[in-house]
Amino acid sequence: MKHIIINGRNGVGKSTLIRSVLERIQSPVYGVITKKESEKANGFQPVYIHLYGKERQYSEENRIGMCKPGESICFPDVFDRFCDRMRFPKNCVIVFDELGFMESDAHRFTAKVLHTLDEAPLCICAVRDKPTPFLDAVRSHPRAEVYEITEENRNELRARILAALSDRTGD
């Protein structure tokens, strides 16, 4: 089965699309989600990584970076330590929401994501439209089916993805 890779710019609706697709999937869902929080006094927005569907914690243990327009600070060691928490059962849907440029130097984390794409029956990934070796490897993975999301097509893309999933699973 091909993985669903939703590729697009920041803020176009990748995460919203994933949530709406997951509402229709009967399989258990596991994975990883990143969330950007409100801007702090220094102008930076902290970015955190969480396990999908679990209670979210906001601490230095899972703060993967900080960003503001034109500048970002990444903590690849946090990504790499987070790998120890990424244990997913077989026969589930795995979500990576969102994969971006902050992981570029997190070699253990990126290897874990690519290994998951090799082994898991179905992954659904939101991927930032930046050219990095890691993101390029996700988009060009042999089991990837890439859907480009734009403001113009985001509403009809849900139906296309659900139809593709239905064709594959017989649902």
Side-chain angles (χ1 to χ4, degrees), residues 19-37:
R19 281 192 305 274
S20 75
V21 167
L22 291 177
E23 289 173 356
R24 302 286 303 271
I25 291 179
Q26 302 299 316
S27 300
V29 178
Y30 292 82
V32 173
I33 185 168
T34 59
K35 282 294 187 189
K36 190 184 308 180
E37 289 297 299

Side-chain angles (χ1 to χ4, degrees), residues 57-85:
Q57 299 174 13
Y58 298 89
S59 70
E60 288 189 21
E61 277 186 26
N62 67 321
R63 188 178 67 192
I64 55 175
M66 301 184 328
C67 60
K68 65 181 178 182
E71 186 176 355
S72 63
I73 302 167
C74 306
F75 307 125
D77 57 317
V78 174
F79 277 108
D80 286 342
R81 283 193 309 270
F82 196 81
C83 284
D84 296 333
R85 300 176 62 197

Side-chain angles (χ1 to χ4, degrees), residues 82-154:
F82 196 81
C83 284
D84 296 333
R85 300 176 62 197
M86 293 170 52
R87 293 185 199 101
F88 311 124
K90 295 187 185 294
N91 299 320
C92 68
V93 175
I94 298 175
V95 173
F96 291 107
D97 183 13
E98 143 167 345
L99 299 174
F101 63 89
M102 288 186 147
E103 307 72 328
S104 292
D105 292 324
H107 303 293
R108 190 169 163 231
F109 180 86
T110 57
K112 175 80 173 187
V113 170
L114 294 172
H115 177 75
T116 302
L117 291 173
D118 290 339
E119 300 293 323
L122 175 61
C123 294
I124 302 176
C125 308
V127 178
R128 186 76 187 271
D129 66 344
K130 298 283 185 187
T132 71
F134 168 60
L135 297 177
D136 293 344
V138 170
R139 285 187 288 262
S140 65
H141 190 276
R143 293 184 54 213
E145 185 169 335
V146 179
Y147 294 83
E148 297 290 337
I149 185 172
T150 64
E151 289 180 16
E152 294 77 27
N153 76 352
R154 65 184 175 195

Side-chain angles (χ1 to χ4, degrees), residues 151-169:
E151 289 180 16
E152 294 77 27
N153 76 352
R154 65 184 175 195
N155 293 328
E156 63 91 16
L157 202 51
R158 178 180 178 267
R160 281 184 42 214
I161 291 171
L162 288 171
L165 288 172
S166 178
D167 288 347
R168 294 174 203 169
T169 62

